[in-house]
Amino acid sequence: MTSFNEFGLAEPILRALAQEKYVTPTPIQAQTIPLACQNRDVIGIAQTGTGKTAAFALPILNHLFNKRQRPAQKSCRVLVLSPTRELSGQIADSFRAYGRHIRPLEIALAIGGVPINRQVRALARGAEVLVATPGRLLDLVHQRALRLDQIEVLVLDEADRMLDMGFIHDIKKIVAMLPKQRQTLFFSATMPQEIIRLADAMLREPARVAVTPQATTVDRIEQRVILTEKASKASLLIEVLKTEKTDRVLVFTRTKHGADKVVRGLQKAGHAAEAIHGNKSQNQRERVLAAFRNGRLRTLIATDIAARGIDVDGVSHVVNYDLPNIPESYVHRIGRTARAGAEGVAISFCDHEERAYLRDIERLIRMTIPAT
Ligand code: AMP
């Protein structure tokens, strides 16, 4: 598939895609869109950065455009479940961007960490699309602010992370409230046994599509490791920021405490830097992410959990200030750069105690990272 025009998507959607400067569908889009447009259930194995949001958002918008009808009060026609507030916000933004020429189109967001009342009011008149984290969605249902019996399409995004984050029971509860007659689009970066079982219970004769993110993302990233000592990492980071041609830098630490320490060190040295992690309020996180996205803030420090769902284009460098103890996290981290076809650099600081982590990572990605 060489162009979006070949999917038979409605003209207002194609116009929005042209404005987004999307020319060629990504592999997950090329595979998913035709199946989803035929109302098939789909299991998509793809991680963030592959274009999976548009892979489900475009056929859904096409369906809403072709079958226009106002949603019932306190109800929605499409439900997208995602594991984090940030990711939910980004998915809602994507629907708004691709659906900007479709009216009426109400995209509602139901996430924790912000007052529920506004969400209750937003849902009172109904929404075409609701993007939600599972806990807040259940709160809204229990408050009778939302009914789930009219849902036509369900999307479960990042199912494996939902599982990691302990949402499986909430998801099962939610699915039990949905109409049996619906379309389900299910996305996960990995397919462990428990995810396969969950998918089996939720989907009807699903088509399975997969892209291999590891190889494709990792291939475009220039990876380097700097062997160092713990005490030297702070000055090393300042050195990297000085010598590398950086645009947007995402620095990963293993702990929240570590993230704050790095911020203080950089600020002392005269570098503007901010951290996002679980101890920050939703407001703070949104403010910092917005600054990073629009380029006012060039250096962002994050922990693995906080970085879930961060979707910022133009991250030129990922710096692993600490190496992750879970090798898959390395792939997730460096996948934040080199998005949507761009090139990226990933620099990892590895102290003495982290050599074993480095070996595990190299085994996973099946390559030796050049050391300097
Ligand atoms: P996602 O995997 O959905 O988080 O998307 C990763 C990034 O790729 C997002 O910033 C999208 O805006 C961008 N993107 C998605 N599809 C395309 C496409 N077909 N052409 C160019 N950029 C895209």
Side-chain angles (χ1 to χ4, degrees), residues 9 69 79-80 108-109 139 160 164 232 235 240 288 323:
L9 295 170
Q69 99 200 5
L79 173 64
V80 182
L109 195 56
D139 289 344
D160 50 354
D164 288 347
S232 311
S235 49
V240 165
V288 168
L323 279 183

Side-chain angles (χ1 to χ4, degrees), residues 61 83 121 358 360 368:
L61 288 166
R121 278 199 301 279
L358 180 62
D360 290 344
T368 307

Side-chain angles (χ1 to χ4, degrees), residues 4 17 20-29 46-56 58 87 90-91 94 98 157-158 309-313 336 339-341:
F4 281 104
L17 290 176
E20 292 289 312
K21 304 208 163 43
Y22 289 9
V23 179
T24 318
T26 67
I28 191 77
Q29 290 162 1
Q47 69 165 175
T48 329
T50 55
K52 69 183 161 60
T53 315
F56 61 77
L58 300 178
L87 184 62
Q90 284 155 14
I91 294 170
S94 298
Y98 311 143
D157 197 17
E158 309 224 338
I310 295 184
D311 174 13
V312 180
D313 288 339
R336 305 290 154 178
R339 296 166 79 80

Side-chain angles (χ1 to χ4, degrees), residues 213-286:
Q214 240 111 313
T216 48
T217 17
V218 172
D219 279 354
R220 282 203 315 274
I221 302 170
E222 180 194 333
Q223 299 174 70
R224 272 181 268 150
V225 63
I226 303 180
L227 302 174
T228 180
E229 289 312 321
K230 206 183 232 92
S232 311
K233 286 186 175 181
S235 49
L236 193 56
L237 178 59
I238 293 168
E239 191 59 34
V240 165
L241 293 179
K242 219 184 286 169
T243 51
E244 291 282 321
K245 245 179 78 62
T246 62
D247 194 3
R248 282 197 190 89
V249 188
L250 190 53
V251 180
F252 282 96
T253 60
R254 227 161 19 228
T255 64
K256 300 174 203 170
H257 179 72
D260 288 334
K261 234 171 101 178
V262 171
V263 169
R264 283 196 300 273
L266 286 177
Q267 288 177 345
K268 242 200 218 147
H271 284 278
E274 302 259 10
I276 57 161
H277 55 60
N279 287 358
K280 305 268 172 177
S281 72
Q282 179 68 10
N283 244 333
Q284 281 172 315
R285 299 210 294 183
E286 273 167 16

Side-chain angles (χ1 to χ4, degrees), residues 56-73:
F56 61 77
L58 300 178
I60 286 173
L61 288 166
N62 200 52
H63 166 77
L64 293 172
F65 180 80
N66 288 334
K67 193 174 155 214
R68 280 184 200 219
Q69 99 200 5
R70 279 301 299 160
Q73 291 179 356

